[in-house]
Structure formats: C-alpha cells, structure tokens
C-alpha cells in the first residue's frame, strides 16, 4: 500500500482538486460513488485494473491523504 500525505488538515476544495488531477492524469481510472461520513469527512474511491485508490478528506484524522494499491508518482512526472 502506498500512502501520500497531501495536506496536514482537511481541505474540501483541495480534495476536489486532487480528485480532478487523478482523473485527468491516470488513464482507465474508474470512479466509484463519493462517500460522506457523519462528521463531514469525504472519501472518493477509484479502481484501476482491479486495484483501489482512495482519496480521504478526513475530519477525524485531520488530514487530506491518498491510500493507493498502485504507485501514483509515475502518472505525475514532470517533463
């Protein structure tokens, strides 16, 4: 499992920007329904070739982060 810390506090605007970046840069990404917890936390799940990617905007943990079964930096290399 790969873990990517995006922000050390929850940020809904940044959460949606991060989701958009994944959708733009990772071909073949399948978007699952958005999950919202009672505390306002958001989780967006994706699948790529049967592997899961989860973007968490967690009020409980107090952070915005990604947990992924695939390594994501390969899709965000600068030219």
């Amino acid at each position: 499992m790969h873990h990517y810390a995006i922000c050390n506090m929850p940020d809904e605007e940044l959460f949606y920007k991060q989701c958009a970046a994944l959708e733009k840069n990772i071909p073949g990404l399948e978007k699952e329904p958005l999950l919202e917890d009672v505390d306002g936390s958001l989780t967006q799940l994706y699948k790529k070739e049967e592997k899961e990617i989860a973007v968490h905007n967690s009020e409980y943990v107090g952070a915005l982060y990604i947990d992924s079964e695939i390594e994501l930096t390969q899709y965000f290399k600068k030219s």
Side-chain angles (χ1 to χ4, degrees), residues 6-18:
I6 306 302
C7 188
N8 63 356
M9 60 190 311
D11 184 322
E12 190 170 336
E13 183 178 340
L14 191 55
F15 169 82
Y16 286 112
K17 286 180 180 180
Q18 183 61 65

Side-chain angles (χ1 to χ4, degrees), residues 6 10 13 16 20-22 27 30 33 39 41 46 48-49 51 54-56 62-65 75-76 79:
I6 306 302
E13 183 178 340
Y16 286 112
L22 290 174
E30 298 173 28
D39 67 358
S41 296
Y46 297 95
K48 172 136 175 93
E49 300 169 2
K51 304 283 184 174
V55 182
H56 301 280
L64 171 59
Y65 62 96
Y75 298 106
F76 294 94
S79 47

Side-chain angles (χ1 to χ4, degrees), residues 36-51:
E36 185 171 358
D37 201 344
V38 294
D39 67 358
S41 296
L42 299 171
T43 299
Q44 181 63 62
L45 300 175
Y46 297 95
K47 294 271 187 186
K48 172 136 175 93
E49 300 169 2
E50 301 302 315
K51 304 283 184 174

